[in-house]
Amino acid sequence: MNSYGSYKSLVGNSISAMLAGIEIYNKPRIEYRNECFVILLLNSWELLLKGICSKNKVRIFKPKKRGEPYKTLNLLDSLESARPYFPQGIHFKAVEENIGRLMDYRNNAVHFYNDSSLEVVIYGLAQTSIVNYRDIVLNVFGKDISSETNIALLPLSFTVPPDPIKFLGRQSKHPAPISEFLKIISDTTSELEREGIDTGRFLTVFKVNLQSTKKIASADIVAGVENAPDSGVLLVSKKIDPNKTHPFTQKRVIKKVGAKVDGAIINTRSVQALLWKYDLRVDEHYCWKNDNTNTYQYSHDLVTWLKKLKSQNIEQARDEYSLHIKKKRAKGGS
């Protein structure tokens, strides 16, 4: 079993998927056009990223489990594995965020189906994504897909040339999931600017001949993004570093919380009892398990949660945990 796959086949299929997606997009009378196009676009990226991994002898197949078929890395895992091999001059984070927002659109199509105005933003994200893709394929594999087809997305379905920056900068009301989606784009743009990263790799306004006319800036859009009422669900495909979201060991959690909460003692025994009683080690909001070291790390939210407890909750957890330990010992630890 070749755990790396064939990078030539992967890249060949990736380019085929990209060209098929562009062809579908440029036929505006096709029903469900944007959704079909974005699915093919993301499939193309996944295959390309696996091709980059394969070329650099990074395995794309996950370890085989008994009784289950072989599985390969998903898109986000492939993106992370390909990170060290990105070409210089193409900033990884901007490309990562661009792909992530297109994944959000794909995952939330059921919420976005009735807002055709969102096509303007998808156009800007998608055209930028294609240019990113073209540049990476050319840099890593020496192939120029623009020599095979016109890689411009034709904005034939719009009554005026699309300008996502103007769209984002308008004060407008949208359903909650769409407002949240637009807010994420605004927040991402601001974050990239703060880090000195070229936002032109995230979202850009293009003429049809692919000459960039203006890259997005947070000043253009922040005024047009408003919080919406809490309704609907937005699925966000954002890869988060658990070392940032869950930075604390148990010892540091205790130090952050303090020696007592509501008069009850907080020590290792107390925290272990509370983790056990409330099943917090299986709640990703509070706890992350590092499978490489078989250790646990905890979030800021766990510290906040512990500080809000009442003394009776802590004492009850300690008592029940002590009883649980005694029963386990009586059964020989089983």
Side-chain angles (χ1 to χ4, degrees):
M1 173 65 186
N2 178 9
S3 61
Y4 308 120
S6 167
Y7 76 84
K8 292 182 179 179
S9 296
L10 288 163
V11 174
N13 288 342
S14 171
I15 291 173
S16 295
M18 178 62 75
L19 299 183
I22 293 171
E23 184 176 349
I24 285 176
Y25 190 94
N26 288 341
K27 294 181 178 178
R29 295 188 65 182
I30 292 179
E31 296 291 331
Y32 216 58
R33 181 186 69 148
N34 284 342
E35 292 81 0
C36 292
F37 162 67
V38 170
I39 288 170
L40 282 169
L41 176 65
L42 293 175
N43 177 241
S44 175
W45 268 109
E46 182 173 332
L47 291 167
L48 174 64
L49 294 165
K50 287 176 179 175
I52 294 173
C53 292
S54 175
K55 183 180 181 181
N56 290 279
K57 299 301 180 184
V58 176
R59 63 184 300 156
I60 64 171
F61 284 91
K62 297 179 179 180
K64 177 76 164 62
K65 293 184 179 180
R66 186 183 295 244
E68 295 184 8
Y70 285 100
K71 296 179 181 179
T72 60
L73 302 176
N74 61 31
L75 176 51
L76 288 178
D77 289 338
S78 300
L79 184 61
E80 185 62 30
S81 296
R83 177 198 289 260
Y85 310 104
F86 255 56
Q88 291 185 353
I90 301 178
H91 203 289
F92 175 85
K93 184 170 182 178
V95 175
E96 177 187 35
E97 295 291 355
N98 174 270
I99 293 173
R101 301 299 68 75
L102 288 166
M103 290 181 68
D104 293 344
Y105 175 78
R106 179 197 64 186
N107 295 343
N108 291 278
V110 67
H111 297 301
F112 297 159
Y113 76 96
N114 62 348
D115 196 307
S116 59
S117 61
L118 197 60
E119 291 183 8
V120 177
V121 178
I122 300 307
Y123 177 91
L125 287 169
Q127 186 65 85
T128 304
S129 193
I130 291 172
V131 173
N132 290 341
Y133 176 92
R134 177 198 63 187
D135 293 346
I136 291 172
V137 171
L138 182 60
N139 275 270
V140 178
F141 298 102
K143 295 179 179 290
D144 184 2
I145 66 166
S146 61
S147 66
E148 301 184 36
T149 188
N150 180 3
I151 65 170
L153 301 181
L154 303 179
L156 300 179
S157 65
F158 301 107
T159 56
V160 294
D163 188 336
I165 294 176
K166 288 182 180 178
F167 173 79
L168 287 164
R170 291 199 307 263
Q171 291 286 348
S172 54
K173 296 290 186 179
H174 295 287
I178 293 176
S179 294
E180 182 62 22
F181 180 64
L182 299 180
K183 184 176 185 301
I184 289 172
I185 290 176
S186 174
D187 291 345
T188 300
T189 304
S190 297
E191 182 180 351
L192 292 174
E193 284 184 334
R194 285 195 300 270
E195 296 182 21
I197 298 171
D198 181 11
T199 58
R201 290 287 181 184
F202 173 61
L203 175 60
T204 309
V205 178
F206 286 94
K207 294 179 181 177
V208 176
N209 65 1
L210 289 193
Q211 295 300 310
S212 176
T213 62
K214 183 179 182 183
K215 67 183 181 183
I216 193 169
S218 61
D220 296 313
I221 64 174
V222 69
V225 179
E226 300 175 341
N227 290 325
D230 293 332
S231 61
V233 177
L234 183 72
L235 306 176
V236 179
S237 306
K238 189 172 180 66
K239 198 171 184 68
I240 298 174
D241 183 357
N243 292 305
K244 294 180 179 178
T245 59
H246 296 67
F248 302 134
T249 61
Q250 184 173 294
K251 184 176 180 180
R252 286 191 64 197
V253 167
I254 295 170
K255 186 176 180 180
K256 287 280 184 180
V257 173
K260 289 188 177 183
V261 169
D262 194 34
I265 295 173
I266 294 294
N267 54 20
T268 300
R269 185 73 166 189
S270 302
V271 173
Q272 288 177 340
L274 290 162
L275 292 171
W276 167 81
K277 178 175 173 58
Y278 294 100
D279 287 329
L280 298 182
R281 283 204 172 108
V282 298
D283 189 334
E284 294 181 355
H285 190 65
Y286 297 111
C287 177
W288 172 67
K289 183 179 180 182
N290 187 332
D291 291 327
N292 294 323
T293 60
N294 199 33
T295 57
Y296 293 94
Q297 294 175 209
Y298 303 97
S299 68
H300 293 273
D301 290 331
L302 177 63
V303 174
T304 302
W305 183 83
L306 289 169
K307 286 182 176 180
K308 292 181 179 179
L309 289 175
K310 298 296 183 181
S311 59
Q312 57 265 35
N313 300 126
I314 299 170
E315 298 298 344
Q316 183 180 7
R318 286 175 61 98
D319 292 342
E320 292 180 7
Y321 185 63
S322 296
L323 183 60
H324 167 71
I325 295 299
K326 288 179 181 178
K327 288 181 177 178
K328 282 186 65 175
R329 289 172 179 168
K331 293 180 180 180
S334 61

